[in-house]
Amino acid sequence: QVQLVESGGGLVQAGGSLRLSCAASGRTFSRYEMGWFRQAPGKEREFVTAIRLSSSSTYYADSVKGRFTISRDNAKNTVYLQMNSLKPEDTAVYYCAARWEVGNVLAMPEYTYWGQGTQVTVSS
């Protein structure tokens, strides 16, 4: 069982930056692949980024590539999402998710555990 708690959301102007954090409970964090998803009002939840067990590989949606960076600190049981050059279209609730060991990190159904979400609002 893993519990995920996101933090770091807020209101920022276009072009600004935010760093989201997702703290995980449990002693086996290093064996979970981690992802960030987002859901804007009236839209379906979508993949943003994911990171493999040992940070060996990262994946990004085309819409955030070059602006967002995912990282993890297994010693702190935490995954981060650094968001730079934010745009109004990045406005959404951002969710952290975890899936056990190796799999398709791009597929939302593969994630077992989800955080409660944190709101990110980018003003123009």
Side-chain angles (χ1 to χ4, degrees):
Q1 190 81 5
V2 174
Q3 291 186 324
L4 304 173
V5 179
E6 302 100 334
S7 61
L11 173 64
V12 64
Q13 288 189 333
S17 298
L18 282 175
R19 189 174 85 150
L20 305 184
S21 299
C22 173
S25 64
R27 294 178 289 179
T28 57
F29 176 74
S30 62
R31 298 183 68 181
Y32 285 88
E33 297 185 315
M34 302 299 296
W36 287 95
F37 294 78
R38 66 186 181 186
Q39 187 166 16
K43 295 188 177 181
E44 293 186 351
R45 194 172 298 189
E46 64 177 4
F47 170 80
V48 177
T49 181
I51 188 166
R52 294 287 188 190
L53 302 178
S54 59
S55 307
S56 57
S57 297
T58 56
Y59 306 84
Y60 297 91
D62 287 344
S63 59
V64 307
K65 203 170 292 184
R67 299 187 298 120
F68 289 12
T69 303
I70 188 172
S71 61
R72 67 189 296 164
D73 186 336
N74 288 341
K76 295 183 178 179
N77 281 16
T78 302
V79 62
Y80 304 98
L81 179 60
Q82 178 66 44
M83 304 185 296
N84 299 328
S85 302
L86 282 161
K87 304 175 181 179
E89 51 263 45
D90 294 318
T91 295
V93 177
Y94 283 72
Y95 297 90
C96 171
R99 65 166 317 286
W100 180 251
E101 295 197 326
V102 179
N104 183 357
V105 294
L106 305 183
M108 195 159 44
E110 296 238 347
Y111 287 83
T112 307
Y113 302 104
W114 292 81
Q116 82 289 350
T118 185
Q119 177 71 47
V120 171
T121 303
V122 185
S123 63
S124 57

